[in-house]
């Protein structure tokens, strides 16, 4: 509130009207946590952003080509400033052409009525809601509604956004919106958007807490075939998606070093399960998925083969999981119904993968072991012994290394 009041005063000082808009208005009304503040100025937003930034010792980043600016406050919060604008689309799926406009026009270019409300923040009007398109009623009735019939054609990423908001808030698209969405899918509207841009929006669906529900809804709507023609979820994917939340919850609770924002990768592994690696590689290439993520996803396609090894000794289980990423192993955890395999997976994630030897190559040298590739074999063997619960002290590890050295000579 104090930020908004200040911005409102500064806009007033510059003779401009200021509003807080979009997702933050929606979240305020829903009494959800508001993380980012989006401010729209009727006029030059950069002028107000500059004033606000210098006043609050913020860090200002200006994007003159878009008439926007972001102020990062010392406490880590960010306020985005944009000049009110009107949009038109030269062709479906293209990025819009933008010209200056008023707040009503700015709200009209938005995706759904629930995201198309503004609250005035100039001192005299502070707190008045601008709701030209029925967003408040739709919020109360838990409805997702587009602002006009061309919406999904203009910007097909709204197909993914509609499902994202449906599942996040447990809302539903109202019938006309659902019909328009289905029509745009029939006409293959997503193909008009740059694949990378469409995939970035899809990633946001996968990053939601209710990612499995997002995927099931998209599949039922036949909205996953942007990945590949006729792509849809099979029975095995549905089973894995039912398992995923529990696995991801477990990871959130127990793996302090695992960033939960990587959960989207596990979801992607699930929906590619059972698909030929060459086909998956083509999809990942098309959407320019980053190399590190690509490697993990391709790796997950064959990690089903190692499930049998998890039932063998701890040492074999460790050797099988050692080269895998945490995401691949979480995928395995969702995949297996075998209780002892799950135990091994948990042991690996919680304990084994963090084990460090107290000896290294220098110790082997000091023992008089000739250097060479045997070092790796010996140190690996000592590590396997550690996994098996032996050799926890340095002296035990040295003794084991000495024995192994004799065996390898
Ligand atoms: P989230 O909580 O996921 O960030 P959000 O509604 O704040 O949800 P953003 O993607 O941050 O979503 O976008 C901010 C606002 O910009 C939206 O509320 C909406 O008004 C508008 N917007 C974003 N993407 C689109 C789009 N593709 N078409 C039209 N308006 C959009």
């Amino acid at each position: 509130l104090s930020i908004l009041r200040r911005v409102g005063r500064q806009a007033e000082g510059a003779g401009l009207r200021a509003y807080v808009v979009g997702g933050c208005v929606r979240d305020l009304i829903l009494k959800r946590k508001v993380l980012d503040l989006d401010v729209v100025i009727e006029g030059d937003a950069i002028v107000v952003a500059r004033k606000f930034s210098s006043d609050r010792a913020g860090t200002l980043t200006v994007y003159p080509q878009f008439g926007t600016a972001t102020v990062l406050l010392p406490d880590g919060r960010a306020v985005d400033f944009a000049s009110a604008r009107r949009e038109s689309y030269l062709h479906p799926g293209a990025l819009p052409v933008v010209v200056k406009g008023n707040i009503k026009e700015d709200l009209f270019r938005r995706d759904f009525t629930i995201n198309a409300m503004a609250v005035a923040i100039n001192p005299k009007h502070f707190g008045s809601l601008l709701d030209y398109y029925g967003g408040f009623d739709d919020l109360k009735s838990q409805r997702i509604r587009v602002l006009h019939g061309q919406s999904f054609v203009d910007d097909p990423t709204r197909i993914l956004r509609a499902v994202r908001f449906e599942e996040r808030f447990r809302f539903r698209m109202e019938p006309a919106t659902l019909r328009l969405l289905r029509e745009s899918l029939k006409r293959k509207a997503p193909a008009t958007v740059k694949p990378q841009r469409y995939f970035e929006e899809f990633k946001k669906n996968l990053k939601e807490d209710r990612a499995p529900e997002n995927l099931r809804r998209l599949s039922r709507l036949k909205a996953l075939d942007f990945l590949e023609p006729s792509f849809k979820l099979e029975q095995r994917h549905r089973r894995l998606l039912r398992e995923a939340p529990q696995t991801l919850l477990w990871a959130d609770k127990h793996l302090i070093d695992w960033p939960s924002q990587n959960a989207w990768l596990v979801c992607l592994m699930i929906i590619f399960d059972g698909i030929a690696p060459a086909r998956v590689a083509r999809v990942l290439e098309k959407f320019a998925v980053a190399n590190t993520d690509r490697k993990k996803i391709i790796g997950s396609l064959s990690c089903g083969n190692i499930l049998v090894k998890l039932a063998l000794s701890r040492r074999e289980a460790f050797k099988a999981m050692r080269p895998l990423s945490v995401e691949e192993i979480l995928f395995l955890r969702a995949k297996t119904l075998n209780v002892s395999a799950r135990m091994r997976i948990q042991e690996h994630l919680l304990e084994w993968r963090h084990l460090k030897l107290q000896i290294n190559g220098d110790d082997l040298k000091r023992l008089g072991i000739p250097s060479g590739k045997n070092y790796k074999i010996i140190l690996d063997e000592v590590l396997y012994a550690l996994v098996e619960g032996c050799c926890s002290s340095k002296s035990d590890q040295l003794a084991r290394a000495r024995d192994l050295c004799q065996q390898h000579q």
Side-chain angles (χ1 to χ4, degrees):
L1 270 177
S2 72
I3 290 174
L4 293 178
R5 282 191 193 282
R6 191 176 291 255
V7 174
R9 278 198 302 274
Q10 278 157 346
E12 185 78 23
L16 300 171
R17 284 179 192 266
Y19 307 88
V20 58
V21 295
C24 42
V25 175
R26 174 200 69 210
D27 290 343
L28 274 171
I29 296 173
L30 290 175
K31 299 192 167 61
R32 290 172 71 99
K33 210 174 199 160
V34 174
L35 297 174
D36 305 315
L37 286 175
D38 286 321
V39 168
V40 165
I41 304 288
E42 281 184 322
D44 190 350
I46 296 169
V47 171
V48 183
R50 241 184 246 294
K51 276 179 133 192
F52 174 70
S53 180
S54 65
D55 203 41
R56 292 290 294 249
T59 309
L60 175 75
T61 312
V62 175
Y63 307 94
Q65 69 275 37
F66 301 114
T68 61
T70 298
V71 178
L72 188 64
L73 296 172
D75 65 5
R77 284 181 298 175
V79 186
D80 287 328
F81 290 82
S83 306
R85 58 201 163 171
R86 192 155 35 98
E87 278 179 355
S88 56
Y89 291 82
L90 285 181
H91 58 83
L95 288 175
V97 177
V98 174
V99 290
K100 276 197 176 145
N102 59 31
I103 186 70
K104 188 172 179 186
E105 290 163 330
D106 190 281
L107 296 174
F108 188 67
R109 73 186 175 83
R110 288 168 189 269
D111 47 3
F112 309 112
T113 58
I114 58 166
N115 290 339
M117 289 180 278
V119 174
I121 55 173
N122 286 63
K124 259 194 244 150
H125 304 283
F126 193 90
S128 328
L129 179 71
L130 274 70
D131 180 18
Y132 299 107
Y133 309 109
F136 191 82
D137 264 3
D138 285 337
L139 258 191
K140 293 288 157 195
S141 315
Q142 310 193 318
R143 280 188 301 246
I144 309 285
R145 182 198 300 275
V146 283
L147 278 81
H148 56 84
Q150 275 294 102
S151 189
F152 290 119
V153 178
D154 282 347
D155 182 354
T157 64
R158 292 172 188 164
I159 295 168
L160 300 170
R161 294 177 63 85
V163 170
R164 185 151 66 88
F165 294 123
E166 270 196 336
E167 294 306 333
R168 185 192 297 172
F169 303 125
R170 296 174 195 248
F171 285 10
R172 275 297 170 242
M173 279 180 255
E174 56 83 37
T177 298
L178 186 58
R179 187 170 38 76
L180 290 166
L181 179 141
R182 287 188 198 279
E183 276 169 17
S184 70
L185 283 170
K186 262 195 210 132
R187 293 198 196 128
K188 305 270 171 243
T192 63
V193 184
K194 278 212 175 97
Q196 224 169 320
R197 182 170 159 238
Y198 204 75
F199 195 76
E200 279 310 308
E201 197 67 48
F202 179 56
K203 261 165 77 172
K204 294 187 196 162
N205 292 66
L206 298 178
K207 286 181 180 178
E208 290 283 315
D209 284 346
R210 284 166 54 82
E213 286 81 0
N214 268 263
L215 285 166
R216 281 196 285 267
R217 176 75 165 146
L218 287 168
S219 182
R220 273 199 306 276
L221 291 168
K222 300 193 177 63
L224 285 179
D225 60 1
F226 76 93
L227 288 166
E228 250 208 335
S230 356
F231 190 101
K232 63 178 176 30
L233 299 180
E234 307 288 347
Q235 203 47 42
R236 67 176 181 287
H237 302 127
R238 291 177 192 281
R239 185 192 77 71
L240 286 172
L241 287 174
R242 276 197 299 278
E243 291 298 325
Q246 197 245 347
T247 291
L248 294 172
L249 219 64
W250 178 87
D252 276 351
K253 198 163 158 202
H254 298 282
L255 306 182
I256 36 172
D257 64 332
W258 185 68
S260 55
Q261 66 267 29
N262 278 6
W264 71 274
L265 269 173
V266 181
C267 292
L268 209 55
M269 288 170 184
I270 287 177
I271 66 173
F272 288 142
D273 183 51
I275 298 177
R279 272 173 66 194
V280 175
R282 269 201 304 277
V283 176
L284 301 178
E285 174 92 50
K286 175 172 163 194
F287 294 103
V289 173
N291 264 337
T292 44
D293 297 336
R294 222 185 276 197
K295 259 176 74 182
K296 292 177 184 175
I297 295 164
I298 297 288
S300 76
L301 299 171
S302 54
C303 65
N305 302 337
I306 76 152
L307 277 176
V308 278
K309 297 197 178 143
L310 301 190
L312 306 174
S313 61
R314 302 174 99 205
R315 166 200 174 95
E316 288 307 318
F318 172 69
K319 275 167 82 172
M321 285 187 277
R322 197 177 173 197
L324 303 184
S325 62
V326 173
E327 291 83 3
E328 285 163 272
I329 298 173
L330 289 174
F331 166 69
L332 271 184
R333 187 185 185 275
K335 203 170 160 74
T336 183
L337 296 173
N338 183 306
V339 178
S340 57
R342 279 203 167 180
M343 293 298 288
R344 289 266 157 85
I345 287 173
Q346 288 174 199
E347 261 180 300
H348 179 78
L349 289 174
L350 294 173
E351 197 189 320
W352 299 347
R353 73 188 167 106
H354 299 298
L355 288 177
K356 293 266 180 303
L357 289 181
Q358 294 183 50
I359 60 170
N360 57 29
D362 293 338
D363 295 301
L364 300 189
K365 208 181 271 174
R366 273 196 288 277
L367 285 177
I369 303 172
S371 55
K373 64 178 180 216
N374 275 356
Y375 273 29
K376 180 165 171 13
I377 299 174
I378 293 169
L379 290 174
D380 277 351
E381 286 294 331
V382 181
L383 183 63
Y384 302 150
L386 191 59
V387 167
E388 283 169 329
C390 326
C391 297
S392 51
S393 71
K394 184 166 180 176
S395 59
D396 287 349
Q397 291 176 10
L398 285 171
R400 177 61 69 106
R402 211 178 291 119
D403 290 350
L404 285 163
C405 169
Q406 278 157 9
Q407 285 171 26
H408 281 277
Q409 269 169 359

